Amino acid sequence: MNIEHMKNIAKEKMNKEIAFLFDKLTTGSEVRATLFAFFLVDLFSIDEYRFYLELIRQAEKF
């Protein structure tokens, strides 16, 4: 498994987590913790991190 494959898995996971947040099956704190963990191990760039943070904020308002 290479780094690009791992990044794709992380993106799929975040998309699922945000969908769960829209459906109120998880909390914003849990989704942000997952996002931060992926960011710390360099699976997301700072731009991707900010993008997902904005999606989380939108999902929480929904």
Side-chain angles (χ1 to χ4, degrees), residues 6 9 38:
M6 292 171 56
I9 291 171
F38 288 149

Side-chain angles (χ1 to χ4, degrees), residues 46-62:
I46 189 67
D47 292 332
E48 291 169 318
Y49 180 77
R50 289 178 181 153
F51 171 77
Y52 280 109
L53 275 179
E54 182 59 30
L55 288 180
I56 293 167
R57 284 186 198 110
Q58 291 174 9
E60 287 178 314
K61 290 180 182 178
F62 183 73

Side-chain angles (χ1 to χ4, degrees), residues 20-31:
F20 291 158
L21 182 57
F22 269 111
D23 293 336
K24 306 296 184 210
L25 299 174
T26 189
T27 66
S29 296
E30 291 172 323
V31 179

Side-chain angles (χ1 to χ4, degrees), residues 9-10 13-14 33-44:
I9 291 171
K13 172 71 173 165
M14 283 308 304
T34 302
L35 174 61
F36 190 61
F38 288 149
F39 177 69
L40 285 179
V41 295
D42 291 328
L43 292 177
F44 286 135

Side-chain angles (χ1 to χ4, degrees), residues 2-17:
N2 61 25
I3 189 70
E4 291 304 317
H5 185 67
M6 292 171 56
K7 286 182 177 185
N8 287 333
I9 291 171
K11 288 179 184 179
E12 289 174 15
K13 172 71 173 165
M14 283 308 304
N15 290 334
K16 287 180 186 176
E17 290 290 322

